């Protein structure tokens, strides 16, 4: 961009590209800054090796599906390694370490820097909040959100997940436990249903042997490859890839408005403000640092939108020395998760699903769910072996199974497995169904993101993250774990393992800049005019359990309207 | 340091692999200990005055494991073997597999004198818990992901690595690897348009 944009958006993850596209369609000129690399853009043919010749991209012709497929190798270590993977929280240059966060506890914090942000590795679960968690809780109503949910569902688009073996087994298990099918988008009672996912339905020729898988993978629609978490590069073009991460959905749509420019490899280090005698502080621009060259510069705009995520948005507020607000960075929720894995024998499986193995790596990585308003939810997860082993058998607050009490009543094993126990468990990998427990997590003031008083990186004081679940969240998680265990047992699982995950497992981070405390109902900061938020941090609570992305995207769509009406 | 990390991975992941009729693959061949060392040495990057530095964690981690093992032995909670299984290693590598797991457990429960540990772990319970957990996760991700199959290029910069064979871990669990897709479509239980139409009624 040669002249100042009207609006600067910080972060091209789940929310940023949505608000950029909406504003672009209204004729407002937007610059989106992203800290990480851009995969699938011809301006950066080797995005991890050098800076490239261009600084930014606004032409949809720069997008290249073939290049994307080459870069997204679908290999779990190459893509998902927290230290050196393509999808990590760090700079484009993988020879360097990730960006450090101080979390003084056993931790997995799964965020990705790059155009698309967390949506490039997410499972595309795109469901609405539970209405009860919005009404009488949030400062806005569920009904206010519905038109925006509908718009995002149509744009992505969202469709219920297809059934593969693991979903068939999940539905059977839910039925055996006494639950019934809940045919709805607005969940008010417990029941199971396919996940509403931002994934195109399977290609109509998928089951036709006259078409090779190679051919089908270049056609429109999901191929059930199971690589949601490794990035999904299957489709005829970049913007028609089956999994609808924002990089392949909202980003191309934003570029097509002719008003939106995206600039990767740019870390925003400060929000600039001016004091207006009458109206107090207002945002006027930002300071950025190029992650390849270290060059810093200042950029100006009429409005600034923070969409950097639940850790970086409050960090940026604090590092910018914006006005004190006791709730900045406070109220962090993470759906206090757990995992329960059932291993079945071949006979049982043949009886239920007609084949001797489940093959958890087939189909949508998470395609089925059980909603339980009041407690949270349970969903199936079928990851690749390395990610499965790491999450299910290496990460636990229980400690080592071999050092634990011998007679567990509910589970054959619990906690970390090592050596021959691990080998045995992983041998059953193809016959496992893993249920992820996702809790309606209570907001607590003491759970927080703050600045580390002692440690800085090249972008300023680093974030220090602290989280412990409330008694209510603990109780809810235990109840959900019992339900999940019961589902597996009733479906005939022979061995059940409970991971007992540590509390600091961050997949769904939310509510660190809460509506009603830090931002108003249009998501503009109370204390800084012309400064908006368009990420999960603006959530008032953890939505009752549902995955946060769709709500963030609906809110961003709504915020775009408010912002445009007020300032343009 | 290498010996300590070999002893560590030996206690965490399956020890030898025999696939088909080939000779057994030792986990040392899989190099998972080197994966841990790389991960630890690239984990924390910070700014010190004008310099951007990476704080190497592998060496202090090895010292910490040996120190904790020594305390366990001295207090009668573990026994050192006179036999040397991992030449060049310290006290940690002289413990049985079970006692090595006991040592990790004692460390994450902070059940010993934290003052005797090297920097940056000295009196830093949070970092100790964080790193002990990471050792477990790195070992399993290193073992069951495709990392060992980068073979001679394992420790090259990430973009210069090449897969040299099919990953052992994947072969062992029956994961077919990168896939274009699977023909396991069993239909749609419900569809968006149908559900939405029902709600409008």
């Amino acid at each position: 961009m040669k002249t100042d944009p009207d609006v600067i958006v910080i972060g091209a993850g789940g929310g940023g590209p949505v608000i950029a596209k909406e504003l672009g369609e209204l004729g407002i000129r937007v610059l989106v800054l992203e800290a990480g690399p851009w995969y699938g853009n011809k301006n950066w043919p080797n995005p991890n090796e050098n800076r490239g010749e261009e600084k930014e991209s606004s032409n949809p012709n720069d997008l290249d599906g073939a290049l994307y497929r080459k870069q997204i190798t679908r290999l779990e270590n190459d893509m998902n390694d927290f230290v050196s993977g393509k999808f990590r929280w760090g700079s484009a240059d993988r020879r360097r370490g990730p960006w450090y966060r101080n979390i003084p506890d056993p931790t997995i914090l799964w965020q990705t820097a790059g155009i698309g942000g967390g949506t490039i590795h997410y499972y595309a679960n795109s469901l609405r909040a539970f209405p009860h968690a919005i009404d009488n809780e949030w400062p806005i109503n569920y009904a206010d959100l519905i038109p925006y949910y509908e718009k995002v569902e149509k744009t992505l688009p969202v469709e219920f997940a297809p059934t593969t073996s693991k979903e068939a087994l999940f539905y059977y298990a839910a039925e055996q436990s006494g639950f019934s099918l809940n045919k709805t988008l607005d969940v008010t009672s417990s029941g199971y249903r396919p996940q509403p996912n931002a994934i195109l339905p399977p290609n109509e020729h998928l089951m036709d042997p006259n078409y090779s898988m190679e051919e089908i993978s270049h056609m429109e629609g999901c191929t059930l490859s199971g690589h949601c978490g490794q990035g999904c590069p299957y489709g005829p073009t970049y913007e028609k890839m089956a999994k609808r991460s924002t990089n392949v959905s909202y980003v191309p749509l934003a570029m097509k408005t002719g008003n939106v420019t995206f600039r990767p490899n740019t870390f925003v280090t400060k929000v600039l403000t001016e004091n207006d005698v009458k109206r107090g502080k207002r945002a006027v621009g930002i300071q950025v640092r190029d992650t390849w060259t270290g060059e810093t510069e200042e950029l100006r705009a009429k409005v600034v939108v923070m969409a950097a995520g639940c850790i970086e948005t409050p960090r940026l507020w604090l590092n910018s020395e914006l006005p004190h607000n006791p709730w900045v960075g406070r109220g962090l929720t993470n759906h206090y998760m757990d995992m329960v894995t059932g291993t079945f024998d071949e006979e049982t499986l043949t009886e239920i699903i007609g084949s001797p193995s489940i093959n958890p790596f087939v189909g949508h990585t998470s395609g089925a769910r059980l909603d339980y308003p009041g407690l949270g939810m349970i969903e199936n997860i079928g990851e690749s072996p390395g990610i499965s082993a790491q999450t299910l058998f290496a990460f636990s607050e229980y400690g080592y199974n071999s050092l634990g009490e011998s007679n567990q009543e509910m589970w054959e094993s619990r906690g970390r497995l090592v050596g021959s126990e691990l080998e045995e468990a992983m041998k059953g990998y193809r016959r496992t169904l893993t249920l992820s427990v996702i809790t309606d997590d209570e907001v607590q003031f003491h759970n927080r993101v703050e600045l580390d008083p002692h440690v800085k990186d090249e972008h300023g004081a680093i974030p220090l993250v602290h989280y412990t679940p409330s008694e209510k969240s603990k109780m809810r998680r235990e109840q959900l774990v019992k339900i999940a265990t019961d589902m597996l047992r009733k479906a005939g699982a022979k061995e059940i393992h409970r991971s007992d995950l540590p509390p600091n497992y961050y997949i769904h981070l939310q509510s660190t800049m809460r509506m009603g405390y830090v931002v108003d109902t249009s998501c503009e900061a109370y204390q800084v005019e012309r400064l908006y938020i368009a990420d999960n941090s603006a959530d008032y609570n953890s939505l009752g359990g549902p995955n946060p992305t769709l709500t963030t995207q609906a809110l961003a769509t709504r915020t775009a309207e408010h912002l445009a009406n007020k300032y343009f | 340091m290498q010996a300590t990390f070999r002893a560590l991975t030996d206690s965490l992941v399956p020890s030898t692999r025999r696939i088909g009729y080939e000779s057994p693959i030792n986990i040392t061949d899989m190099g998972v200990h080197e994966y841990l060392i790389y991960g630890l040495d690239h984990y924390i990057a910070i700014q010190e005055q004008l310099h951007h530095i990476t704080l190497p964690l592998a060496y202090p981690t090895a010292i910490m494991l040996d120190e904790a093992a020594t305390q366990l032995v001295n207090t009668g909670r573990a026994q050192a073997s006179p036999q040397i299984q991992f030449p060049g290693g310290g006290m940690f590598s002289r413990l049985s597999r079970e006692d090595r797991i006991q040592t990790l457990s004692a460390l994450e429960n902070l059940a010993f004198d934290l003052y005797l540990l090297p920097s940056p772990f000295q009196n830093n319970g949070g970092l100790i818990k964080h790193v002990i957990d990471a050792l477990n996760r790195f070992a399993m991700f290193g073992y069951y992901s495709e990392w060992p199959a980068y073979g001679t290029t394992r420790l090259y910069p990430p973009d210069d690595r090449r897969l040299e064979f099919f990953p052992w871990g994947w072969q062992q669990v029956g994961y077919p690897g990168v896939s274009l897709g699977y023909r396991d479509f069993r239909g749609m239980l419900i569809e968006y348009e149908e559900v939405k139409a029902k709600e409008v009624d």
Side-chain angles (χ1 to χ4, degrees):
Chain A
M1 274 193 176
K2 299 217 164 49
T3 53
D4 287 346
D6 296 319
V7 176
I8 284 173
V9 176
I10 305 165
V18 176
I19 199 165
K21 173 252 180 195
E22 296 295 329
L23 294 172
E25 283 180 354
L26 297 171
I28 296 166
R29 293 164 50 260
V30 184
L31 173 63
V32 186
L33 303 160
E34 166 54 46
W38 196 335
Y39 296 108
N41 187 308
K42 285 184 244 174
N43 288 349
W44 296 274
N46 300 299
N48 305 111
E49 288 178 44
N50 56 57
R51 182 171 183 257
E53 283 168 23
E54 301 291 330
K55 203 153 77 171
E56 55 191 32
S57 169
S58 55
N59 184 348
N61 294 330
D62 293 341
L63 303 172
D64 183 344
L67 181 65
Y68 192 59
R69 189 190 279 215
K70 195 177 126 215
Q71 292 162 345
I72 305 302
T73 59
R74 293 141 279 161
L75 296 159
E76 55 179 338
N77 192 281
D78 190 37
M79 301 312 300
N80 304 110
D81 191 288
F82 289 117
V83 174
S84 63
K86 284 177 178 153
F87 296 168
R88 63 166 189 166
W89 179 247
S91 69
D93 185 353
R94 303 201 281 161
R95 292 162 290 198
R96 299 170 52 188
W99 290 319
Y100 181 52
R101 272 87 177 262
N102 186 3
I103 310 171
D105 272 303
T107 301
I108 288 180
L109 199 155
W110 209 333
Q111 287 189 318
T112 294
I115 298 283
T119 69
I120 49 182
H121 73 243
Y122 85 154
Y123 301 152
N125 307 137
S126 298
L127 56 146
R128 302 176 181 184
F130 290 161
H132 82 86
I134 306 287
D135 288 333
N136 306 317
E137 299 257 348
W138 284 50
I140 57 172
N141 294 321
Y142 186 75
D144 298 335
L145 284 171
I146 288 181
Y148 302 101
Y149 277 138
E150 288 179 345
K151 187 172 189 187
V152 178
E153 284 162 356
K154 203 175 151 197
T155 308
L156 282 168
V158 172
E159 179 53 273
F160 285 104
T163 307
T164 68
S165 303
K166 68 182 190 299
E167 286 76 30
L169 184 59
F170 183 99
Y171 302 142
Y172 174 82
E175 289 273 353
Q176 292 300 304
S177 277
F179 294 99
S180 49
L181 176 63
N182 217 351
K183 285 193 191 183
T184 189
L185 295 162
D186 309 296
V187 174
T188 53
S189 59
S190 60
Y192 69 87
R193 58 182 174 143
Q195 293 267 26
N197 281 345
I199 298 178
L200 301 179
N203 182 278
E204 54 179 327
H205 301 298
L206 181 65
M207 300 299 280
D208 182 348
N210 293 318
Y211 290 82
S212 72
M213 285 315 299
E214 176 68 33
E215 280 174 279
I216 291 168
S217 75
H218 287 284
M219 292 158 72
E220 196 171 317
C222 177
T223 67
L224 306 179
S225 75
H227 290 304
C228 305
Q230 288 75 55
C232 168
Y234 296 130
T237 58
Y238 181 87
E239 69 251 47
K240 291 278 182 193
M241 293 301 170
K243 192 187 79 165
R244 312 301 295 150
S245 315
T246 55
N247 59 329
V248 302
S249 56
Y250 275 92
V251 169
L253 291 173
M255 293 168 93
K256 281 181 187 164
T257 67
N259 291 316
V260 183
T261 299
F262 289 86
R263 178 170 160 186
N265 306 313
T266 307
F267 204 108
V268 177
T269 51
K270 194 172 184 184
V271 174
L272 305 171
T273 55
E274 273 174 11
N275 279 315
D276 184 295
V277 184
K278 274 192 214 147
R279 310 175 66 173
K281 237 182 216 320
R282 60 174 188 164
V284 295
I286 53 166
Q287 194 179 74
V288 301
R289 183 182 187 279
D290 184 300
T291 64
W292 283 102
T293 64
E295 285 171 293
T296 58
E297 79 188 276
E298 286 190 1
L299 303 165
R300 303 240 153 195
K302 296 189 188 84
V303 174
V304 174
V305 179
M306 299 201 281
C310 276
I311 308 277
E312 294 301 322
T313 291
R315 176 197 187 192
L316 181 59
W317 178 289
L318 295 167
N319 270 333
S320 304
E321 295 174 356
L322 297 180
H324 174 74
N325 179 324
W327 278 94
V328 165
R330 295 276 173 164
L332 170 67
T333 58
N334 69 8
H335 284 160
Y336 188 35
M337 298 183 185
D338 204 348
M339 301 271 184
V340 187
T341 301
T343 307
F344 293 74
D345 63 28
E346 295 188 349
E347 297 74 44
T348 311
L349 290 175
T350 307
E351 229 168 84
I352 304 170
I353 56 170
S355 72
S357 50
I358 301 166
N359 292 332
F361 47 82
V362 173
H364 289 199
T365 300
S366 180
R369 59 185 295 102
L370 179 87
D371 298 294
Y372 205 115
L375 294 181
M377 52 192 226
I378 293 168
E379 42 181 61
N380 69 345
I381 294 210
E383 261 297 358
S384 45
I387 295 174
S388 298
Q390 159 169 261
T391 322
L392 305 178
F393 306 128
F395 188 52
S396 178
E397 65 177 334
Y398 183 75
Y400 295 91
N401 178 62
S402 59
L403 301 180
E405 294 155 27
S406 54
N407 48 353
Q408 289 285 336
E409 282 173 17
M410 286 185 72
W411 311 282
E412 276 72 26
S413 55
R414 179 178 183 179
R416 292 199 197 101
L417 302 182
V418 296
S420 53
E421 288 176 322
L422 170 68
E423 184 173 13
E424 224 20 68
M426 286 302 291
K427 261 189 196 158
Y429 170 67
R430 294 184 67 175
R431 290 176 283 107
T432 56
L433 179 66
T434 294
L435 303 184
S436 173
V437 159
I438 300 175
T439 307
D440 177 358
D441 187 16
E442 201 179 23
V443 171
Q444 295 184 103
F445 182 73
H446 71 78
N447 288 331
R448 64 191 185 270
V449 177
E450 60 187 342
L451 297 182
D452 189 310
H454 307 295
V455 186
K456 284 191 167 89
D457 68 6
E458 65 270 40
H459 309 121
I462 64 158
L464 197 157
V465 184
H466 173 83
Y467 171 87
T468 52
S470 72
E471 286 308 311
K472 204 183 261 180
S473 295
K474 283 186 195 171
M475 200 188 68
R476 288 170 177 161
R477 185 173 97 148
E478 284 309 303
Q479 283 179 267
L480 287 167
V481 166
K482 267 188 199 153
I483 295 168
T485 305
D486 184 66
M487 281 171 64
L488 292 169
R489 197 70 76 189
K490 291 226 168 88
K494 288 291 168 306
E495 302 267 334
I496 301 181
H497 174 80
R498 178 180 182 185
S499 304
D500 212 340
L501 298 179
N504 285 265
Y505 182 51
Y506 297 103
I507 309 289
H508 300 167
L509 297 110
Q510 283 172 276
S511 59
T512 52
M513 302 286 271
R514 302 172 69 203
M515 186 188 283
Y517 291 82
V518 180
V519 294
D520 65 16
T521 55
S522 70
C523 291
E524 185 174 13
Y526 284 120
Q527 293 155 295
V528 186
E529 208 177 64
R530 296 171 182 267
L531 182 63
Y532 285 82
I533 292 182
D535 59 35
N536 298 359
S537 69
D539 292 354
Y540 179 85
N541 60 15
S542 68
L543 312 180
N547 316 52
T549 308
L550 188 81
T551 300
T552 290
Q553 295 177 329
L555 265 184
T557 307
R558 182 176 171 275
T559 301
E561 266 180 33
H562 285 275
L563 185 163
N565 287 339
K566 188 167 176 186
Y567 293 112
F568 296 95
Chain B
M1 180 172 83
Q2 290 269 337
T4 306
F5 280 98
R6 275 202 296 271
L8 175 68
T9 51
D10 174 76
S11 64
L12 292 175
V13 294
S15 48
T16 51
R17 294 271 35 79
R18 185 185 292 277
I19 291 162
Y21 296 101
E22 294 165 35
S23 54
I25 296 153
N26 191 292
I27 67 145
T28 300
D29 303 334
M30 291 178 73
V32 179
H33 62 285
E34 290 180 307
Y35 174 75
L36 265 81
I37 292 169
Y38 180 93
L40 290 169
D41 281 345
H42 289 80
Y43 200 58
I44 298 183
I46 57 171
Q47 192 78 19
E48 292 262 291
Q49 273 101 38
L50 294 173
H51 302 283
H52 188 255
I53 59 156
T54 303
L55 198 69
L57 280 181
Y59 185 69
T61 299
I63 305 275
M64 170 166 74
L65 293 175
D66 283 333
E67 177 55 41
T70 305
Q71 287 192 33
L72 251 60
V73 169
N74 288 348
T75 53
R77 288 182 279 169
Q79 261 194 325
S81 157
Q83 284 177 348
I84 308 243
Q85 200 190 338
F86 302 96
M91 186 60 89
F92 182 77
S93 58
R94 292 180 53 199
L95 302 184
S96 68
R97 277 187 192 140
E98 292 71 25
D99 282 350
R100 278 176 256 154
I101 296 296
Q102 287 283 7
T103 307
L104 294 172
S105 180
L107 271 164
E108 72 179 346
N109 291 311
L110 310 180
F112 60 97
D113 190 350
L114 308 188
Y115 180 76
L116 296 173
L117 298 180
S119 166
F121 297 112
Q122 188 178 41
N123 292 331
N124 191 347
L127 186 64
I128 296 168
K129 287 196 281 181
H130 185 102
V131 168
I132 296 297
D133 165 65
L135 298 178
N136 286 277
R137 290 189 292 104
F138 287 7
M140 276 186 217
F141 193 56
Y143 185 91
Y144 283 110
S145 72
E146 85 277 8
W147 188 85
Y150 290 116
T152 58
T153 69
R154 279 171 198 157
L155 297 175
Y156 287 13
D159 286 285
D160 299 337
R161 300 178 307 185
R162 296 289 171 267
L163 277 182
E164 294 181 348
F165 45 87
F166 191 80
W168 290 306
W170 292 0
Q171 197 171 341
Q172 194 190 335
V173 303
Y175 177 65
V178 171
S179 151
L180 292 169
Y182 296 102
R183 301 188 202 265
D184 187 28
F185 178 43
R186 294 164 175 244
M188 308 287 283
L189 196 57
I190 49 178
E191 290 183 51
Y192 183 82
E193 284 307 326
E194 162 204 349
V195 170
K196 201 147 169 275
K198 195 191 95 200
E199 297 199 335
V200 171
D201 285 345

